[in-house]
Amino acid sequence: MIRPLDLSQLIKLQEKHPPEYFLQSYTWAEFRRRHDWDYVALEIDGRPVIFYKRKVPVLGYFYYAARCPQITLSKQLYEGLGKYLPKAFEIVIEPAAPGMTGRDKKAAKAAGFIEVEDNIQHQSTIKLNPQSVKLADLSKQARYEIRRARRSGVTTKKVAIDQDNLNTLYDLLLTTSQRSHFYIRPKQFLMEYWLAFADNDQASLYFAYKN
């Protein structure tokens, strides 16, 4: 079953099925709507799926389901997307959980979907459940760094998400990006992004301190 969702329906369904990644959250979707992207929310297989939408001159619309929850790539879905995602020249579904079985890939191909090797989102992001993560679950290098930090007197503390702490967070991120040579968004974009999640009680901020 596929059906469109308005914002109130999306929020209600996400309360029942919380997204595994923030890219599929209504908070991020509403935030991105203010920054060059629109979105379409659909209920697919009983779960909420957000497709980000951008118009490309001449071609039409590009739709992108970033970190999409597990759904069946069937012929019914293929035809339904054409109905609910109009004027699309390309639709990208990027699964949150990579690794489809050979049987699933064959069925998806028969339904009309095309597999591509490249992913739009970074593959190096670490996703942890703070309620259940164990030191043994981490890599050998990560365990070493944590133990070393403990021996050096490093502690962590939850802090308020206010302007001063967000300025500190941005300065730390900027320093890290310059040292490791990676791109970060402009400060105003990041501030609005962090505050959007904080305002919906969907974010916490922790700082590490030494001595």
Side-chain angles (χ1 to χ4, degrees):
M1 182 188 76
I2 307 174
R3 71 181 181 99
L5 301 170
D6 60 27
L7 179 57
S8 62
Q9 292 170 325
L10 174 61
I11 293 173
K12 186 175 181 179
L13 194 56
Q14 287 200 341
E15 289 174 351
K16 184 178 180 181
H17 299 288
E20 293 186 41
Y21 292 85
F22 76 93
L23 294 170
Q24 278 292 315
S25 69
Y26 72 87
T27 301
W28 180 252
E30 285 292 304
F31 170 73
R32 292 301 284 153
R33 177 171 269 173
R34 302 193 298 271
H35 292 272
D36 301 329
W37 285 85
D38 201 351
Y39 73 90
V40 175
L42 301 176
E43 179 182 352
I44 302 174
D45 296 346
R47 293 185 175 275
V49 180
I50 294 173
F51 287 84
Y52 294 94
K53 171 184 175 182
R54 175 174 279 181
K55 187 174 184 179
V56 179
V58 181
L59 297 177
Y61 287 95
F62 171 70
Y63 293 90
Y64 172 42
R67 296 293 192 240
C68 180
Q70 195 67 40
I71 56 176
T72 302
L73 301 182
S74 63
K75 186 68 174 180
Q76 181 184 15
L77 175 62
Y78 186 88
E79 295 173 350
L81 292 180
K83 175 181 178 181
Y84 293 108
L85 304 179
K87 299 181 180 179
F89 78 89
E90 184 175 9
I91 300 172
V92 175
I93 299 175
E94 191 173 75
M100 296 174 64
T101 66
R103 183 177 181 180
D104 289 338
K105 288 183 178 181
K106 186 175 181 180
K109 183 177 180 180
F113 293 95
I114 301 172
E115 182 182 11
V116 296
E117 295 296 328
D118 295 331
N119 289 293
I120 296 175
Q121 296 300 320
H122 296 295
Q123 299 303 297
S124 57
T125 300
I126 298 175
K127 177 175 174 287
L128 298 175
N129 183 342
Q131 305 303 320
S132 62
V133 66
K134 299 177 182 178
L135 192 62
D137 296 332
L138 304 178
S139 68
K140 181 178 179 180
Q141 182 64 29
R143 295 196 300 271
Y144 167 77
E145 295 291 350
I146 291 173
R147 292 190 178 105
R148 180 182 178 186
R150 286 175 175 171
R151 291 194 299 270
S152 300
V154 175
T155 59
T156 58
K157 179 183 178 182
K158 185 176 181 179
V159 299
I161 303 180
D162 56 28
Q163 199 64 44
D164 288 342
N165 285 331
L166 290 181
N167 282 330
T168 300
L169 175 60
Y170 177 79
D171 290 342
L172 290 169
L173 181 61
L174 180 62
T175 299
T176 305
S177 71
Q178 292 170 343
R179 181 183 62 204
S180 300
H181 308 290
F182 63 84
Y183 169 80
I184 64 172
R185 297 277 190 173
K187 183 175 183 179
Q188 186 60 35
F189 179 96
L190 291 172
M191 289 290 188
E192 290 183 29
Y193 152 44
W194 293 329
L195 288 172
F197 280 87
D199 290 344
N200 285 341
D201 196 26
Q202 295 175 326
S204 297
L205 178 59
Y206 291 80
F207 282 152
Y209 299 87
K210 184 175 182 181
N211 298 326

